[in-house]
Amino acid sequence: MIKSLREFQLDEESRQKMRAAGRFNAELLDFVRPHVKAGVTTDEIDRLVHDYTIDHGHIPAPLDYHGFPKSCCTSINEVICHGIPSDEVLQDGDIVNVDVTSIVDGWHGDQSETFLIGDVSDVARQVTQCSFDSLNASIDILKPDSSVTEIGHAIVAIAEQYGFSVVRDYVGHGLGLEFHQPPNVPHYPDPRFERIQLIPGLCFTIEPMINVGKFMGVVDPFDNWTVRTIDGQLSAQFEHTILMTEEGPEILTQTSQGPRPGHKF
Ligand code: MF3
Ligand code: CO
Ligand code: CO
């Protein structure tokens, strides 16, 4: 076990804080969900996220995070992650990931969901399904003290069934009083992480980005945030915040109205 991870182990009081942050973040996504449809701009989604969070006395973590200009990320079609809300209008046939992170009483909840806008292509539906199923499969196999590489094995197994690829340059992460902290959580089995164990009390995200084509991404040279697939093919993502307990993993960002494991898109 890498000794320093103990420093991120949460006691019961802190776990309750993370549960509250995750719960609020899930409610925020439930609030936003019905508005994510054709004809809406991603700026309008951003405003809903911002105002709902502020109105409830909390903070949208992305706003001003390393200079990020908006309160959530909206990643359309070939955008892998970190898309910036803008005046772009969601169109029938698009897929869009909305990634929301809240700071509640100092603690972070982080999650995302990919939405199908109207009638989408078969491959758009498949890549969305693949990402959703791979996230759930990777949570399913976790136990206290699992190696973080188990997550990558579970995700790659699902991606291979579809012939899709798993993004390597962006990974899940520990979180708590910080937005991003150890451990890194790769979505592919990186042998260097074999000895990193998910000990009870650790909070982290799993957020597999699945590409229809090549796994590589390119950062937009103008905005320095938007990451697109190198081949322009589609990418989809889902994310949950997980607390490892002595009993196993607990999903802190499960929504009451969103897709559940087994959901068919
Ligand atoms: N929410 C993203 C994640 O899952 C991070 C976004 S960073 C931002 O880790 F600055 F773009 F908001
Ligand atoms: Co995250
Ligand atoms: Co996120």
Side-chain angles (χ1 to χ4, degrees):
M1 229 266 303
I2 302 298
K3 202 156 179 226
S4 61
L5 271 187
R6 294 214 174 272
E7 131 188 20
F8 299 100
Q9 255 180 318
L10 303 182
D11 61 16
E12 193 46 41
E13 198 183 322
S14 306
R15 294 181 192 192
Q16 287 300 2
K17 298 283 196 181
M18 281 302 289
R19 289 187 178 104
R23 193 176 318 121
F24 173 76
N25 207 62
E27 288 163 3
L28 166 62
L29 199 54
D30 275 341
F31 166 73
V32 169
R33 188 175 297 100
H35 301 279
V36 185
K37 52 184 193 212
V40 171
T41 68
T42 49
D43 265 343
E44 288 171 306
I45 294 169
D46 179 69
R47 188 181 52 80
L48 291 167
V49 169
H50 178 271
D51 291 357
Y52 184 94
T53 306
I54 298 295
D55 290 349
H56 286 79
H58 306 311
I59 300 168
L63 189 58
D64 250 357
Y65 181 76
H66 294 282
F68 192 78
K70 298 290 171 88
S71 296
C72 64
C73 297
T74 51
S75 300
I76 302 173
N77 295 333
E78 78 285 2
V79 177
I80 295 174
C81 62
H82 303 165
I84 303 174
S86 72
D87 58 6
E88 184 170 359
V89 179
L90 294 178
Q91 313 273 355
D92 191 65
D94 284 344
I95 60 173
V96 60
N97 176 273
V98 179
D99 191 334
V100 295
T101 313
S102 310
I103 310 176
V104 175
D105 207 9
W107 298 83
H108 289 73
D110 185 12
Q111 76 195 104
S112 81
E113 195 172 310
T114 294
F115 298 89
L116 309 180
I117 307 301
D119 238 351
V120 306
S121 66
D122 287 348
V123 72
R125 201 177 293 278
Q126 284 160 9
V127 72
T128 302
Q129 189 76 55
C130 179
S131 173
F132 184 70
D133 290 350
S134 71
L135 170 60
N136 291 313
S138 70
I139 297 169
D140 260 6
I141 50 89
L142 288 183
K143 295 185 195 58
D145 300 331
S146 284
S147 164
V148 79
T149 53
E150 296 299 321
I151 293 171
H153 282 292
I155 291 168
V156 164
I158 306 276
E160 279 176 352
Q161 291 172 16
Y162 285 84
F164 295 155
S165 65
V166 178
V167 170
R168 293 171 170 249
D169 288 347
Y170 301 88
V171 297
H173 51 94
L175 77 175
L177 288 170
E178 301 286 339
F179 194 165
H180 296 100
Q181 66 187 33
N184 275 342
V185 179
H187 303 112
Y188 57 94
D190 183 331
R192 293 172 298 182
F193 287 69
E194 204 64 65
R195 283 148 50 90
I196 309 290
Q197 287 179 288
L198 300 167
I199 52 180
L202 220 52
C203 254
F204 56 93
T205 72
I206 308 178
E207 45 184 299
M209 287 144 275
I210 304 294
N211 294 353
V212 168
K214 293 183 162 55
F215 70 82
M216 281 93 78
V218 181
V219 179
D220 185 300
F222 298 101
D223 69 25
N224 280 312
W225 280 105
T226 311
V227 185
R228 293 186 182 80
T229 56
I230 196 166
D231 57 11
Q233 297 197 68
L234 296 173
S235 183
Q237 179 179 29
F238 287 80
E239 173 177 27
H240 272 311
T241 296
I242 312 285
L243 168 67
M244 182 56 81
T245 76
E246 288 72 11
E247 276 69 56
E250 191 178 315
I251 303 175
L252 303 188
T253 45
Q254 190 68 257
T255 70
S256 62
Q257 287 144 50
R260 297 266 164 175
H263 179 85
K264 295 295 172 222
F265 289 90

